[in-house]
């Protein structure tokens, strides 16, 4: 019975997909609102083209929302036509790869930063616990849908350029997510951890491609 909740039948059910769609959609809106002050600061003090590199987690959840939207469309297509296209459009492939890599990366990253700040004496508030739950959810849901992704090596290569380029922008150009004051002395360590998370997340995505192709 417990295994059913990890099955394709359950994960692709309309109830599950619509639930995740709205949770991620509303979470994305909240996330961009959360970054509002930093986006305004970046716009006032940096070129406009840097703005996309600021809101990491909301962009990750935005792309995962799109992935769920694709799966809902797939369900409708199977219902209407009894078939599903085996090939995947390059744009969808990029969105899937981006969603997996960034949702896992920033989900784990954000939780780590919250607990690192708490370990240095920061008071953990209900908002912090809300962020812990929501960001852990991002990482978990990205992994739960590994068997549904259809992206290949090309899409992953493009996402790798973005992920590592985003790390450079964050810590080379100073547009990293605003951190608790207690963590600013550890910025070099955080930079290294972020790059490691990029590599680990890309590695997970690479393994997912190999795993899916070996199943065929």
């Amino acid at each position: 019975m417990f295994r059913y909740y990890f099955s394709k039948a359950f994960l692709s059910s309309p109830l599950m997909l619509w639930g995740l769609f709205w949770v991620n959609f509303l979470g994305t809106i909240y996330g961009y609102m959360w970054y509002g002050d930093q986006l305004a600061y970046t716009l006032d003090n940096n070129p406009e083209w840097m703005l996309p590199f600021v809101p990491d987690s909301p962009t990750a959840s935005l792309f995962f929302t799109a992935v769920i939207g694709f799966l809902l469309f797939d369900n409708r297509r199977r219902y209407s036509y009894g078939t599903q296209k085996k090939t995947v459009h390059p744009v969808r492939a990029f969105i899937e790869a981006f969603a997996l890599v960034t949702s896992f990366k920033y989900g784990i990253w954000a939780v780590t930063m919250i607990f690192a700040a708490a370990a240095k004496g920061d008071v953990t508030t209900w908002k912090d616990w809300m962020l812990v739950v929501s960001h852990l959810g991002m990482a978990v849901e990205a992994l739960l849908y590994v068997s549904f992704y259809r992206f290949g090596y090309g899409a992953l290569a493009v996402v790798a350029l973005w992920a590592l380029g985003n790390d450079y922008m964050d810590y080379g150009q100073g547009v990293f997510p605003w951190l608790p004051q207690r963590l600013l002395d550890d910025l070099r360590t955080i930079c290294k951890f972020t790059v490691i998370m990029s590599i680990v997340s890309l590695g997970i995505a690479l393994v997912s491609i190999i795993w899916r192709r070996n199943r065929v």
Side-chain angles (χ1 to χ4, degrees), residues 23-33 58-63 65:
V23 166
N24 281 276
F25 179 75
L26 295 174
T28 297
I29 294 173
Y30 179 80
Y32 281 118
M33 292 172 61
T59 303
S61 63
L62 174 65
F63 275 69
T65 302

Side-chain angles (χ1 to χ4, degrees), residues 60-209:
S61 63
L62 174 65
F63 275 69
F64 190 78
T65 302
V67 170
I68 297 300
F70 287 135
L71 294 177
L72 285 164
F73 178 78
D74 288 345
N75 277 359
R76 183 176 180 182
R77 184 181 185 86
R78 280 195 297 270
Y79 180 79
S80 300
Y81 304 105
T83 60
Q84 177 181 330
K85 292 176 65 176
K86 293 183 179 180
T87 57
V88 57
H89 192 280
V91 172
R92 174 170 177 171
F94 171 76
I95 290 172
E96 289 181 350
F98 191 98
L100 172 57
V101 170
T102 59
S103 293
F104 183 81
K105 171 185 174 181
Y106 292 115
I108 300 300
W109 183 92
V111 173
T112 303
M113 293 305 106
I114 290 169
F115 286 135
K120 298 193 74 171
D122 251 17
V123 177
T124 305
T125 67
W126 69 268
K127 286 187 178 181
D128 294 318
W129 286 112
M130 179 269 292
L131 291 173
V132 167
V133 172
S134 61
H135 282 80
L136 279 179
M138 286 174 56
V140 171
E141 67 185 6
L143 295 179
L144 279 176
Y145 282 83
V146 158
S147 62
F148 291 84
Y149 304 134
R150 290 186 280 161
F151 65 85
Y153 298 114
L156 183 58
V158 176
V159 171
L161 292 175
W162 170 271
L164 296 172
N166 197 14
D167 293 343
Y168 167 75
M169 292 301 301
D170 280 354
Y171 300 98
Q173 300 299 316
V175 295
F176 57 87
W178 285 349
L179 295 163
Q181 191 70 29
R182 295 175 187 271
L183 293 182
L184 293 180
D185 291 339
D186 302 312
L187 198 56
R188 294 189 67 177
T189 301
I190 292 172
C191 173
K192 292 177 183 177
F193 174 71
T194 306
V195 173
I196 290 172
M197 282 305 308
S198 290
I199 295 170
V200 169
S201 301
L202 290 166
I204 290 172
L206 177 61
V207 170
S208 78
I209 296 174

